[in-house]
Amino acid sequence: MSAVDLGTDLAGLALDPPVMCASGCGGTGRELEATGDLAGLGAFTTRTITLDPRPGAAAPRLVETASGVLWETGGHNPGRAAFRAVALPALARRGVPTVVSGAGSTIGEYAELAGRLAGAPGVRGLEVNLVSRNADAYERRFCDDGFQVTKVLAAVRAELPAGVALWAKLAPGGTLPELARAAAVGGADAVVLVHGFAGITFDPDTWRPSLGGGPGLVGGPAVLSQALRCVWDVHAAVPTLPLIGCGGVRSGRDAVQMLLAGASAVQVGTWLLRDPSGARRIAVELAEELRRHDHTRPGDLVGLGHHDTPEGPR
Amino acid sequence: MSAVDLGTDLAGLALDPPVMCASGCGGTGRELEATGDLAGLGAFTTRTITLDPRPGAAAPRLVETASGVLWETGGHNPGRAAFRAVALPALARRGVPTVVSGAGSTIGEYAELAGRLAGAPGVRGLEVNLVSRNADAYERRFCDDGFQVTKVLAAVRAELPAGVALWAKLAPGGTLPELARAAAVGGADAVVLVHGFAGITFDPDTWRPSLGGGPGLVGGPAVLSQALRCVWDVHAAVPTLPLIGCGGVRSGRDAVQMLLAGASAVQVGTWLLRDPSGARRIAVELAEELRRHDHTRPGDLVGLGHHDTPEGPR
Amino acid sequence: MSAAGRVLSVKRVAAFHVVTLVAPGVAERFRPGSLVALSVGGAVSAHLTRRTFPISAVRPTGAHGGTVEVVLDAGADAGAAAEPGVRWLVGSPPGTPVDVLGPVGRPYALPKEPVSCLLVGEEAAAAPLFALAERLRARGCGVHMLLGARSDTHLVGVLEARRAARSVGVVTRDGSVGASGELADELPAVLARTAAEVVYAAGRIPTLHAVAALAEEHGAWSQTALDVPMPCALGLCQACVVPVVGEEGVTRMVRACVEGPVLRGDRVRWADLGRVPKDAR
Amino acid sequence: MSAAGRVLSVKRVAAFHVVTLVAPGVAERFRPGSLVALSVGGAVSAHLTRRTFPISAVRPTGAHGGTVEVVLDAGADAGAAAEPGVRWLVGSPPGTPVDVLGPVGRPYALPKEPVSCLLVGEEAAAAPLFALAERLRARGCGVHMLLGARSDTHLVGVLEARRAARSVGVVTRDGSVGASGELADELPAVLARTAAEVVYAAGRIPTLHAVAALAEEHGAWSQTALDVPMPCALGLCQACVVPVVGEEGVTRMVRACVEGPVLRGDRVRWADLGRVPKDAR
Ligand SMILES: Cc1cc2nc3c(=O)[nH]c(=O)nc-3n(C[C@H](O)[C@H](O)[C@H](O)COP(=O)(O)OP(=O)(O)OC[C@H]3O[C@@H](n4cnc5c(N)ncnc54)[C@H](O)[C@@H]3O)c2cc1C
Ligand SMILES: Cc1cc2nc3c(=O)[nH]c(=O)nc-3n(C[C@H](O)[C@H](O)[C@H](O)COP(=O)(O)OP(=O)(O)OC[C@H]3O[C@@H](n4cnc5c(N)ncnc54)[C@H](O)[C@@H]3O)c2cc1C
Ligand SMILES: Cc1cc2nc3c(=O)[nH]c(=O)nc-3n(C[C@H](O)[C@H](O)[C@H](O)COP(=O)(O)O)c2cc1C
Ligand SMILES: Cc1cc2nc3c(=O)[nH]c(=O)nc-3n(C[C@H](O)[C@H](O)[C@H](O)COP(=O)(O)O)c2cc1C
Ligand code: FES
Ligand code: FES
């Protein structure tokens, strides 16, 4: 049998391994470099950057839940100018393929951000974070409206140099297949599934919300089965659309599940907070699982879980 | 300070304690009676009953996830006739207030079921499980369409004798506040939040879906923060509507969180599978938490977590 | 029914682990074939369902109070990693608290007459058959045993069998000890030789299926102990349903944890396990 | 940076637990004020974030390899139940595997001149100050200590302080030993008496706030060790941000785990902890 090869072509972007950090969970790159773990990533996804700096939400910004975390950073980021001046050149120097996550509160802001960042050295892709409120549409989230999703992607696509991948990141929710299709129509090369799941908890002593900002989003192993279902549902509806599975991944077996459900690559978020070497270990375990099942390429597994499945999502 | 009194009036139905088993997690009543735990419940909610018997989904019907379970019983139930002949009289004899969960695949079925069961001895309430596909509307789930929700509730209400409570149980999802309002418009006395969260997992050896039926629903501590958010969002939008919090509750502190988010009572589902005495213990712990904070009645806490909260659900 | 227990010891037997737990109240109500359901991981655990195992032995009293024993396959040698709950159990130091629910389930039904009985056990699943053999002997039944495994390293209880049974057969897939092949290959000859009227069997589903069919051919009753995951072991969750034909020929989905784990072999729809037959009610 | 450690021992000190862990590589890089971040519950754990604690002592080598020690408040006597991760740690038998990340964070900055230093410690948080005292004495600094607690049962290190420091003050809220009241009540007199040029402080936020303000009034530098939850201790999650005024008067939200835990007391916007000030960037 030939050897396992984790190299993956994700709609034109080469990922080896097909395991990345999820947006907002890999710091600036400096922290993972300090632990020696930056080089283990197939790509580095930055935290979500906006045009202007955002100081973010009140602390605590993250609390523990059963097998997960509840978080709200409030979009804390240095803004596109400082990001382009400091963090981005450092990432470029380190040579890890960089995917910049960006968001705006109008379509114009998304486009401007893309124009200012996508051409910078080292940027191999732009991940459009659509979990952001639309100032021009009653503060409704972009990701809840297929029409807006298409418009944002098309506007961003127009700003991208050739060779820079365009990904759309969506929140979990009932009409995901339609939204993913809308992203593809707008020009997305791939769709990242998914952002955090809405949650809240309360402090047992103060009886106030545990997070400084009140409500938040849930990530971690607790949501794996739900994230798998998002990927499953979208792949069932749009089997040709490349997907990136994100949510609760912490092992090679979890990554295999994401592939079976229909993803071509995975992102690791919350688990990096516990184990900064997680992505590297997951890649090793993924290779082992492939070997154990006599497979050589992750691509062989994509969507495999759908075949011969008894019917009946409800 | 006066003593803690857990007695709760839930829109006319007296619950003491305001802790029940969730539908489908308390068996027929016989199993919890065998462990001595039936009497500890403020009310017993039955598994969802349909007009005709349903043999249910293939095994396994339940697998473990991180801090949770993924399940799909496929609606296994003996049908309304056998239920009324066997399980229901037994529950009535045991004297625990019984709430019958029912579902149908048309509005007519919901109404017929209500007519046949709601008047039976021992029935104190009907929980309308709206997580069921509508044969008259392209198999769309009732719980995803506010108009259908209102119609089902109104049809069922018309069949109910006076003094039998009417509850609507909804699935988690983006437009919950609208759906809850729709249930109230149709005549629901209270809304149960929430049913399971959509999920799927795959077997690491066979690479097939782990559940016999393919996709399933997630319950257990893993979903507590998400269920709290459902209650929080609905209470924020419709503060006068009585809510029953369901999802991941396993301790008195979890119950307190449900109250703070806006629920008036709680249901315990998955945790009973691990600890059949769970509901009783939760009631004891709830009383302790009230005492520790110098409160005497659970009602004092309902919605308390909303006060002085920094803005910004996203 | 559920009680605070603790690990007394973990020992190796062949390729398996024997975990003995201090568990008040279980031993007194134990009957061969019944189960014990353990919660794993303690207070911090992410694993909330129970692990349910056949009880292999009990001791009503002793220095530590009543104890209960299970034999676990932690699969250390298989390519697949062991189930995390089992790994936790076999790795727990003495004193580790474990919530113990049991005994649960229907035990092996015992014949009223002193008939000849054949006990068929595969690998670790054979362990509970020795308690059964004892009770059968007490009733004057002739007890014969047939033990099987993939290889001699996975064979449990041959010495004990020689003490407990009139005759003992051994089969291994690799022929490392006894006959070479599957349990089912040996069964017809053993049934004929022992003139068994009842066959009691514990093992993998395909083995039980074969035993049930061969017993029926031979005109014997069979009592098969089904090993399917039982996450609650209380009859609440329906995870463990199997299709069983009842008296009137009607198939019902019955819960292996309360209506089993021991079921009549001729009543189980073996080919339909993991399915809901169209005619099920 | 993160390594497989294990529990060596758990001992009681006053109302607290001293947990000593075998942890390769931590002792060598330890400096007073730095932290260690532990994962709790082992492989089955539902608790996935780390518990981060100030290191109270290290031993580079020994029979068991390098060790690191933390003093934990399991709050056994408070009305509120102890945090489950801490409860697990203090209940772990020797040998329990624990993933250990450390040392992390900025330690106490040491003065270049042999100035007079006052070390202010509250309850269990005082434990790490003794390693600091040693290093300050090695530089010729005069070391004075002021220890406080709710009551004598919660006072840590008074005997050790008498050995380590030129003068030792003690305050308890209930007056059970030493002066009666809060640490802040005693501070002005002690600052005057010791002519301290630097104040090092560890304790609850209100205490640190008061220490920082009084040190500034007195004209001393202050170095405050912030105790806020640090779920990753890697600088990745931003859970631990605190508002700090930088050189140009600009407020930034800095991560206490990597930019702290020791911060200049005059730079922390104490009144705005748990908030994002409007002018923050
Ligand atoms: C070992 C054995 C030998 C028997 N021999 C005879 C016989 O010679 N002549 C005769 O007329 N009846 C025989 N029976 C049937 C028996 O006498 C009862 O009719 C039968 O147990 C039904 O009782 P129940 O309704 O309480 O059992 P159920 O509630 O139906 O079941 C109780 C438990 O016993 C098992 N069980 C029930 N019946 C049988 C069975 N027949 N064979 C194997 N397992 C069973 C079930 O699977 C279950 O585990 C035998 C039963 C057993 C177990
Ligand atoms: C105990 C002490 C005494 C000092 N005495 C003098 C003095 O007499 N005259 C003088 O001009 N400068 C004094 N300084 C300031 C010092 O010489 C440097 O200017 C300062 O440490 C800035 O270096 P940095 O940029 O590397 O530190 P930073 O990167 O700014 O911080 C490093 C660490 O040291 C802490 N820190 C930094 N500066 C101070 C400070 N001034 N006081 C307390 N904590 C600090 C930070 O909070 C952080 O924990 C003193 C500093 C300390 C710590
Ligand atoms: C602390 C934290 C910060 C995050 N920040 C971002 C962000 O800036 N942009 C974004 O698109 N997602 C962000 N996420 C979401 C993750 O990228 C990911 O979608 C989600 O957490 C699910 O994956 P996980 O379970 O592996 O964490 C953040 C998650 C966490 C826990
Ligand atoms: C095994 C199982 C069976 C269930 N059956 C039903 C059912 O018949 N009807 C229903 O409305 N909900 C059913 N539920 C959902 C629960 O009532 C509950 O809404 C959900 O599991 C969330 O609560 P929990 O986290 O406490 O389990 C079932 C849940 C489980 C785990
Ligand atoms: S294991 Fe839950 S019903 Fe059998
Ligand atoms: S604890 Fe995660 S950034 Fe500080």
Side-chain angles (χ1 to χ4, degrees):
Chain A
M1 240 203 82
S2 49
V4 169
D5 175 7
L6 292 183
T8 298
D9 175 86
L10 187 87
L13 180 59
L15 297 173
D16 189 3
V19 182
M20 304 163 259
C21 67
S23 176
C25 299
T28 59
R30 209 154 57 115
E31 300 83 0
L32 290 180
E33 194 178 37
T35 60
D37 294 310
L38 193 61
L41 300 174
F44 180 87
T45 317
T46 71
R47 77 180 41 158
T48 298
I49 305 297
T50 51
L51 283 177
D52 296 319
R54 294 201 185 160
R61 289 175 172 185
L62 185 143
V63 294
E64 204 175 67
T65 61
S67 293
V69 300
L70 179 74
W71 63 277
E72 180 51 87
T73 61
H76 188 170
N77 84 93
R80 63 94 182 45
F83 172 72
R84 178 154 185 168
V86 184
L88 195 48
L91 282 164
R93 274 195 305 278
R94 283 158 196 142
V96 53
T98 298
V99 176
V100 176
S101 168
S105 47
T106 63
I107 293 177
E109 283 186 20
Y110 273 102
E112 184 183 345
L113 191 77
R116 289 181 184 274
L117 292 177
V123 175
R124 305 294 310 279
L126 197 72
E127 180 176 293
V128 177
N129 176 357
L130 292 152
V131 185
S132 174
R133 298 200 174 271
N134 185 344
D136 292 335
Y138 310 101
E139 300 292 324
R140 196 171 169 207
R141 301 188 310 178
F142 287 98
C143 62
D144 290 333
D145 181 345
F147 183 68
Q148 299 289 340
V149 166
T150 301
K151 288 211 294 186
V152 170
L153 270 293
V156 168
R157 175 96 267 174
E159 300 291 333
L160 288 199
V164 175
L166 177 58
W167 299 347
K169 184 167 178 184
L170 295 171
T175 56
L176 261 184
E178 284 164 41
L179 295 162
R181 226 183 248 119
V185 169
D189 298 312
V191 171
V192 182
L193 299 171
V194 284
H195 206 274
F197 291 74
I200 193 169
T201 61
F202 301 86
D203 185 278
D205 296 316
T206 66
W207 286 1
R208 318 283 331 129
S210 323
L211 290 181
L217 299 170
V218 188
V223 306
L224 172 66
S225 60
Q226 296 182 58
L228 285 166
R229 179 69 176 271
C230 295
V231 172
W232 169 270
D233 286 346
V234 173
H235 184 79
V238 204
T240 54
L241 180 61
L243 303 177
I244 298 160
C246 177
V249 174
R250 65 171 154 176
S251 71
R253 290 197 170 182
D254 296 345
V256 166
Q257 293 195 77
M258 281 290 184
L259 300 179
L260 296 171
S264 298
V266 301
Q267 293 184 342
V268 185
T270 302
W271 198 254
L272 285 187
L273 308 181
R274 164 151 181 166
D275 177 9
S277 314
R280 190 192 297 266
R281 184 179 43 72
I282 289 166
V284 170
E285 292 173 358
L286 172 58
E288 271 165 25
E289 287 295 301
L290 289 174
R291 220 170 280 126
R292 190 162 79 85
H293 286 264
D294 286 335
H295 277 272
T296 56
R297 311 183 63 91
D300 301 346
L301 276 61
V302 177
L304 216 60
H306 289 257
H307 305 160
D308 307 315
T309 305
E311 241 297 275
R314 77 185 210 186
Chain B
M1 242 202 80
S2 48
V4 169
D5 175 7
L6 293 182
T8 297
D9 174 87
L10 187 87
L13 179 60
L15 296 172
D16 189 5
V19 181
M20 304 164 258
C21 67
S23 177
C25 299
T28 60
R30 209 155 58 115
E31 300 85 358
L32 291 179
E33 194 178 36
T35 60
D37 295 309
L38 192 62
L41 301 174
F44 180 87
T45 317
T46 71
R47 80 180 39 160
T48 297
I49 305 297
T50 51
L51 282 178
D52 296 319
R54 295 202 183 159
R61 291 176 172 185
L62 185 141
V63 294
E64 203 174 67
T65 61
S67 294
V69 300
L70 178 74
W71 63 277
E72 181 51 88
T73 61
H76 187 172
N77 83 93
R80 61 98 182 43
F83 172 73
R84 178 152 186 169
V86 184
L88 195 50
L91 281 164
R93 276 196 304 278
R94 284 158 194 142
V96 53
T98 299
V99 175
V100 176
S101 169
S105 46
T106 63
I107 293 178
E109 283 185 22
Y110 273 102
E112 184 183 344
L113 191 78
R116 290 183 183 273
L117 292 177
V123 175
R124 304 294 310 280
L126 196 72
E127 181 176 293
V128 176
N129 177 0
L130 292 152
V131 185
S132 176
R133 298 200 175 271
N134 186 344
D136 292 335
Y138 309 100
E139 299 293 323
R140 195 170 171 209
R141 302 188 308 178
F142 287 98
C143 62
D144 290 332
D145 181 343
F147 183 68
Q148 298 289 341
V149 167
T150 300
K151 287 210 295 186
V152 171
L153 270 293
V156 168
R157 175 97 268 174
E159 300 292 331
L160 288 199
V164 174
L166 176 59
W167 299 347
K169 183 167 178 184
L170 295 170
T175 56
L176 262 184
E178 283 164 40
L179 296 162
R181 226 183 247 119
V185 168
D189 298 313
V191 171
V192 182
L193 300 171
V194 286
H195 206 273
F197 291 75
I200 193 169
T201 60
F202 300 86
D203 184 279
D205 296 316
T206 65
W207 286 1
R208 317 282 334 127
S210 325
L211 289 182
L217 299 170
V218 188
V223 305
L224 172 66
S225 60
Q226 294 179 250
L228 284 165
R229 179 68 176 271
C230 295
V231 172
W232 169 269
D233 286 345
V234 173
H235 184 79
V238 205
T240 53
L241 179 62
L243 304 177
I244 297 160
C246 177
V249 174
R250 65 171 153 177
S251 70
R253 289 197 171 182
D254 295 344
V256 165
Q257 293 196 77
M258 281 290 184
L259 301 179
L260 295 171
S264 298
V266 301
Q267 292 183 344
V268 185
T270 302
W271 199 253
L272 286 186
L273 308 182
R274 164 151 183 166
D275 177 10
S277 314
R280 190 192 297 266
R281 186 180 41 74
I282 288 166
V284 169
E285 292 173 358
L286 171 59
E288 269 165 25
E289 287 294 300
L290 290 173
R291 221 171 276 123
R292 190 164 77 86
H293 286 264
D294 286 337
H295 276 273
T296 55
R297 308 183 66 90
D300 301 347
L301 275 61
V302 178
L304 216 60
H306 289 259
H307 304 160
D308 306 313
T309 305
E311 242 297 275
R314 77 184 211 187
Chain C
M1 222 177 143
S2 134
R6 64 192 155 79
V7 173
L8 182 64
S9 67
V10 180
K11 296 193 181 114
R12 295 297 297 252
V13 156
F16 308 110
H17 290 83
V18 181
V19 179
T20 307
L21 299 144
V22 177
V26 179
E28 294 76 359
R29 289 173 295 127
F30 162 79
R31 284 162 64 198
S34 59
L35 307 164
V36 73
L38 310 177
S39 59
V40 296
V44 296
S45 184
H47 301 276
L48 65 83
T49 66
R50 289 184 186 268
R51 271 56 177 173
T52 306
F53 307 105
I55 297 172
S56 59
V58 296
R59 202 159 288 137
T61 52
H64 309 279
T67 62
V68 58
E69 182 189 294
V70 291
V71 181
L72 307 185
D73 183 357
D77 49 358
E83 195 279 308
V86 169
R87 211 157 53 211
W88 181 84
L89 280 167
V90 303
S92 289
T96 304
V98 176
D99 188 83
V100 178
L101 174 75
V104 292
R106 288 206 193 185
Y108 291 108
L110 305 177
K112 289 175 194 77
E113 312 292 313
V115 296
S116 171
C117 300
L118 173 61
L119 282 52
V120 181
E122 190 174 30
E123 301 206 346
L129 293 176
F130 300 99
L132 172 64
E134 199 177 300
R135 305 233 176 165
L136 290 170
R137 281 206 323 270
R139 295 184 168 226
C141 294
V143 173
H144 304 270
M145 293 192 98
L146 178 60
L147 300 174
R150 68 195 89 163
S151 145
D152 59 350
T153 52
H154 288 72
L155 206 53
V156 166
V158 179
L159 286 182
E160 210 173 341
R162 302 222 188 278
R163 274 198 305 274
R166 283 195 199 161
S167 78
V168 179
V170 172
V171 198
T172 52
R173 194 171 309 140
D174 65 0
S176 49
V177 56
S180 163
E182 298 291 332
L183 277 167
D185 303 337
E186 292 302 301
L187 200 58
V190 178
L191 280 169
R193 169 169 58 79
T194 58
E197 291 185 35
V198 192
V199 182
Y200 295 91
R204 293 172 309 125
I205 298 293
T207 302
L208 299 184
H209 186 173
V211 169
L214 292 167
E216 190 149 21
E217 250 171 52
H218 174 78
W221 298 98
S222 69
Q223 290 264 302
T224 52
L226 270 74
D227 183 14
V228 297
M230 300 173 191
C232 80
L234 286 161
L236 296 176
C237 78
Q238 309 198 50
C240 60
V241 288
V242 290
V244 166
V245 188
E247 295 296 326
E248 327 77 24
V250 177
T251 295
R252 288 185 314 120
M253 301 303 295
V254 313
R255 296 159 300 175
C257 67
V258 288
E259 291 158 280
V262 179
L263 292 164
R264 284 173 51 168
D266 59 329
R267 290 289 166 86
V268 176
R269 290 180 60 169
W270 297 102
D272 292 321
L273 281 184
R275 259 185 288 193
V276 178
K278 283 237 155 39
D279 57 344
R281 287 245 301 263
Chain D
M1 222 177 144
S2 133
R6 62 190 157 80
V7 173
L8 182 63
S9 65
V10 179
K11 299 197 178 110
R12 295 298 296 251
V13 156
F16 308 110
H17 290 82
V18 181
V19 178
T20 307
L21 299 145
V22 177
V26 179
E28 294 74 2
R29 290 172 293 127
F30 164 78
R31 286 162 64 198
S34 59
L35 307 164
V36 73
L38 310 177
S39 59
V40 297
V44 295
S45 184
H47 300 277
L48 66 86
T49 67
R50 288 183 187 269
R51 272 54 177 173
T52 307
F53 307 105
I55 297 172
S56 59
V58 295
R59 202 158 289 140
T61 52
H64 309 279
T67 62
V68 57
E69 181 189 294
V70 291
V71 181
L72 307 184
D73 183 357
D77 48 0
E83 195 279 308
V86 169
R87 210 157 56 211
W88 181 84
L89 281 168
V90 304
S92 290
T96 304
V98 176
D99 187 83
V100 178
L101 174 75
V104 292
R106 289 207 191 184
Y108 291 108
L110 304 176
K112 290 175 193 77
E113 312 290 314
V115 296
S116 172
C117 299
L118 174 60
L119 281 52
V120 181
E122 189 174 29
E123 301 203 346
L129 293 176
F130 299 101
L132 173 65
E134 200 176 299
R135 305 236 175 162
L136 290 170
R137 280 208 323 270
R139 299 187 163 222
C141 294
V143 173
H144 304 271
M145 293 192 97
L146 178 60
L147 300 174
R150 69 195 88 165
S151 145
D152 58 350
T153 52
H154 287 72
L155 207 52
V156 166
V158 178
L159 286 181
E160 209 172 342
R162 299 219 191 280
R163 275 198 305 275
R166 285 197 196 158
S167 79
V168 179
V170 171
V171 198
T172 53
R173 193 172 308 141
D174 66 0
S176 49
V177 56
S180 163
E182 299 292 333
L183 277 168
D185 303 337
E186 292 301 300
L187 198 60
V190 178
L191 280 169
R193 171 167 59 73
T194 58
E197 290 185 36
V198 192
V199 183
Y200 295 92
R204 293 173 307 127
I205 297 293
T207 302
L208 299 183
H209 186 174
V211 169
L214 292 167
E216 188 150 21
E217 248 172 53
H218 174 75
W221 298 98
S222 68
Q223 290 264 303
T224 52
L226 270 74
D227 182 15
V228 298
M230 299 173 192
C232 80
L234 287 161
L236 296 177
C237 77
Q238 309 199 50
C240 60
V241 289
V242 291
V244 167
V245 188
E247 294 297 327
E248 328 75 26
V250 177
T251 296
R252 288 184 316 119
M253 300 304 294
V254 313
R255 295 158 302 175
C257 67
V258 287
E259 293 159 279
V262 179
L263 292 165
R264 285 173 50 169
D266 59 330
R267 290 286 167 88
V268 177
R269 289 182 61 169
W270 297 102
D272 291 321
L273 282 184
R275 259 186 287 192
V276 178
K278 284 237 154 39
D279 57 344
R281 288 243 303 265

